[in-house]
Amino acid sequence: MIVYILVALMFFTGLYGIIAKKNIIKIIVGINIVGYASNLLFILLGYKWEGIAPILTEDIPINYFVEKAVDPLPQALVLTSIVIDLAFVAFLAALAIRLFERYGTFDMDKIRRLKG
Amino acid sequence: MTLNLPLLVVLMLLMTGGCVISITARSLTSSVVSMGTAGLILSILFLLLGAPDIAIVQVFVEIVALIVLLSTIRRETRADMSSSGLYGVLTLLIFALFLFVFMFHGNEIVRPFGQPVITMGAKYLASPALLNAPNAVTATVLDFRGYDTLGEATIIFTAIAGVIVLLRIKGRKDE
């Protein structure tokens, strides 16, 4: 159970970064950390003790493999989610670059002024 | 290398420390670099938890994200002191509420760590014999969950199109 509490601690650290920080880079880092925590939660939910990776080599009998391998379904979902996180972070970084070119700062309070 | 609970907890504590430092650090550079540290520890965790494919993808993605963020903040590395105290207290309250609920009802919410009930995954695990694909994760991504992968490709295409539109150098020609 302690692993789930640690994952929750990580998640709420990222959430704090998203809602309390005023710097755009800190917000992007917070979004990334929330993504880490949720990915790790999925993998932890699929793990079984003494589990082996879900890759069948020739010297493993199929019945032993089905009994011992960890759940491949969360792994497939996380594989998708990680790549989407990267695309999302790249998009947010592009937005931050454009905001910096216009306002000269990453601070949300100074960006709030309307300009142009 | 087999996994045991103390090793897992120590690695996760290190990763949580990296996350806390990256949120609270004053310099933006150290913030981004500690986020990268947390991501690399996460890839070690994936490797130990029986997910080598995801570990490889995580290392790759982490390095690319680090390069993207570092090239973003090269324009300004000024210290960041600003934060709003009210929201910090609010987050702490939500976390305390979560801990309170989890302490009493955790056994009903999740199974104990390391003892999952694999229902759908058991069918996917039998796939190497079915599809002649040695890697069950690949079989899941590309065959059983092929529509999800199509959606993922759509999202990535949209995000990259957005990045290109935002970062193009030339504007419209007819001005």
Side-chain angles (χ1 to χ4, degrees):
Chain A
M1 283 296 149
I2 185 169
V3 288
Y4 297 126
I5 293 176
L6 279 174
V7 167
L9 188 61
M10 236 178 276
F11 184 90
F12 281 102
T13 310
L15 193 67
Y16 169 73
I18 293 175
I19 68 176
K21 287 290 176 181
K22 299 271 176 67
N23 194 302
I24 296 179
I25 301 297
K26 285 287 175 70
I27 294 175
I28 297 176
V29 167
I31 289 172
N32 221 345
I33 287 173
V34 168
Y36 289 163
S38 38
N39 290 343
L40 185 55
L41 176 66
F42 274 109
I43 297 295
L44 286 174
L45 285 175
Y47 184 72
K48 67 170 86 158
W49 283 119
E50 311 285 326
I52 57 174
I55 298 171
L56 185 66
T57 48
E58 287 176 357
D59 51 342
I60 303 178
I62 182 77
N63 290 329
Y64 177 80
F65 176 73
V66 171
E67 189 190 337
K68 294 294 275 186
V70 299
D71 198 347
L73 184 55
Q75 295 197 14
L77 295 179
V78 168
L79 204 62
T80 309
S81 155
I82 287 177
V83 183
I84 290 176
D85 272 352
L86 175 65
F88 190 48
V89 165
F91 183 69
L92 289 176
L95 277 177
I97 288 173
R98 279 298 178 229
L99 275 174
F100 186 84
E101 280 176 4
R102 198 168 178 86
Y103 293 94
T105 177
F106 283 130
D107 197 334
M108 287 300 280
D109 279 344
K110 292 170 189 155
I111 288 172
R112 266 188 200 135
R113 281 179 296 117
L114 284 176
K115 199 189 241 182
Chain B
M1 188 171 179
T2 54
L3 182 66
N4 48 13
L5 194 59
L7 178 65
L8 185 66
V9 169
V10 165
L11 279 173
M12 286 182 68
L13 275 177
L14 278 177
M15 192 185 154
T16 313
C19 294
V20 170
I21 290 173
S22 70
I23 292 296
T24 56
R26 296 217 168 147
S27 145
L28 288 182
T29 314
S30 56
S31 165
V32 171
V33 169
S34 358
M35 188 204 79
T37 316
L40 292 179
I41 295 173
L42 180 64
S43 89
I44 297 175
L45 276 170
F46 283 154
L47 192 61
L48 290 177
L49 287 168
D53 314 285
I54 304 179
I56 294 168
V57 172
Q58 174 68 34
V59 169
F60 171 72
V61 160
E62 189 53 50
I63 288 168
V64 172
L66 205 58
I67 290 171
V68 166
L69 282 180
L70 279 177
S71 66
T72 307
I73 64 170
R74 89 192 130 97
R75 294 163 173 79
E76 175 183 88
T77 51
R78 209 178 301 160
D80 162 55
M81 320 273 265
S82 60
S83 75
S84 143
L86 180 67
Y87 288 121
V89 176
L90 189 68
T91 321
L92 209 61
L93 277 180
I94 299 174
F95 183 59
L97 186 70
F98 167 81
L99 271 188
F100 185 74
V101 173
F102 196 78
M103 281 295 172
F104 291 104
H105 298 282
N107 289 324
E108 301 157 24
I109 299 173
V110 289
R111 304 260 315 158
F113 174 65
Q115 304 161 15
V117 179
I118 300 181
T119 51
M120 206 61 216
K123 293 199 175 70
Y124 296 161
L125 276 177
S127 65
L130 200 68
L131 297 176
N132 210 5
N135 193 335
V137 176
T138 315
T140 310
V141 168
L142 291 180
D143 194 298
F144 298 110
R145 298 262 159 183
Y147 280 122
D148 290 353
T149 312
L150 185 66
E152 177 209 356
T154 313
I155 292 173
I156 292 171
F157 177 77
T158 315
I160 292 174
V163 170
I164 291 172
V165 166
L166 278 173
L167 288 185
R168 67 186 167 172
I169 297 172
K170 271 188 182 174
R172 273 191 206 158
K173 276 180 186 166
D174 55 11
E175 276 190 71

